[in-house]
Amino acid sequence: MDIRLSKDLGVDSPRIVNLRCPICGHLGAFHGLLNILDLKWIAHSATGRGVTSFNAGLRLCPNNDCRALVFVILKSAELQQAYPPEVIDFDSTNLPQPILQSLEEAIKCHAAGCNKASALMVRRVLEELCQAKNAQGADLKKRLAALGKTIVMPQELLDAADQLRILGNDAAHVEAKVYDKIGPDEAELAIELTKELLKAAYQYTALVDRLKELAKPATP
Ligand SMILES: [Zn+2]
């Protein structure tokens, strides 16, 4: 996002902004700090009839263990953008390192608005997952279908996942024009689906193991 200030420039008290901290991942009410004011400016529409107010300023993560500094842009008092950007939260419990690294990269790309790059990394996560679980098939869709038979996953979710363009069977999917149309919503959906698949493949088992531990007689 380009930030361009109009000449109609002033200062404003910092509003509280609710966001997920890009550093610690917790949701929080971010306040301004010390007596630092926001920059405020008014942008006029091309017709000159409409006006939109913008604020830009610094906010502090309320988590005392984090206290990250975040730069925010507000449009009509609503959060428009944060730097570092907000990221989709995820649970890394029990995920193998290569899969975790690829997923983190997919999420960072999405946060930065690089949706095609994010989709490519999601595809890589899915390929790595199928390989790790020995799910075989001629293409990614068939491999995911094979994976669905070995993990606990609602069939409806797997069926609906077929709508995702990033799962296209085309071996040259990177060059396919349809790939160019992937926007933030589809990239986010692909990440959310991937999180569910990873949960089913790695995290339910961790929970089951912990529950089984409870059933064991306590050692004297
Ligand atoms: Zn934080």
Side-chain angles (χ1 to χ4, degrees):
M1 178 192 175
D2 290 342
I3 304 160
R4 293 164 187 267
L5 307 182
S6 70
K7 289 180 180 162
D8 201 350
L9 192 60
V11 290
D12 199 3
S13 299
R15 288 170 184 271
I16 297 168
V17 179
N18 292 323
L19 63 91
R20 184 176 299 284
C21 177
I23 308 301
C24 71
H26 287 105
L27 274 174
F30 284 56
H31 293 247
L33 61 163
L34 302 177
N35 295 319
I36 303 172
L37 295 171
D38 278 2
L39 273 179
K40 179 173 184 159
W41 67 99
I42 304 289
H44 295 269
S45 67
T47 60
R49 286 188 204 139
V51 291
T52 310
S53 70
F54 289 90
N55 284 55
L58 298 172
R59 301 292 186 272
L60 183 68
C61 175
N63 175 359
N64 263 338
D65 293 332
C66 175
R67 291 180 61 79
L69 188 63
V70 180
F71 178 67
V72 295
I73 311 285
L74 311 183
K75 180 181 178 185
S76 304
E78 297 290 330
L79 180 67
Q80 171 88 354
Q81 184 64 270
Y83 297 95
E86 273 186 288
V87 293
I88 294 174
D89 67 318
F90 74 99
D91 180 2
S92 61
T93 309
N94 240 19
L95 298 185
Q97 199 57 25
I99 288 181
L100 176 60
Q101 280 176 353
S102 298
L103 180 64
E104 280 178 339
E105 203 163 325
I107 288 173
K108 282 180 190 164
C109 287
H110 174 260
C114 304
N115 299 307
K116 279 178 277 178
S118 174
L120 279 170
M121 288 313 295
V122 167
R123 194 172 167 109
R124 180 169 171 165
V125 172
L126 297 175
E127 293 284 13
E128 285 170 340
L129 170 62
C130 290
Q131 194 177 25
K133 294 291 173 186
N134 202 24
Q136 313 251 339
D139 53 49
L140 183 56
K141 276 190 184 180
K142 291 196 177 79
R143 288 192 280 280
L144 283 175
L147 179 74
K149 292 189 175 73
T150 63
I151 59 175
V152 182
M153 185 88 185
Q155 189 58 43
E156 292 86 348
L157 198 55
L158 278 172
D159 292 345
D162 260 12
Q163 305 307 316
L164 286 173
R165 281 178 283 218
I166 67 152
L167 303 181
N169 290 340
D170 181 5
H173 63 272
V174 178
E175 289 84 22
K177 284 207 169 75
V178 74
Y179 219 76
D180 285 338
K181 292 178 185 155
I182 290 172
D185 290 346
E186 183 159 359
E188 184 182 343
L189 276 171
I191 291 170
E192 293 295 346
L193 170 74
T194 303
K195 279 165 54 179
E196 290 304 313
L197 286 164
L198 293 172
K199 204 185 287 176
Y202 295 105
Q203 291 166 339
Y204 288 156
T205 48
L207 183 60
V208 169
D209 288 345
R210 286 176 65 198
L211 287 167
K212 282 180 182 164
E213 281 293 311
L214 277 182
K216 284 186 185 168
T219 46

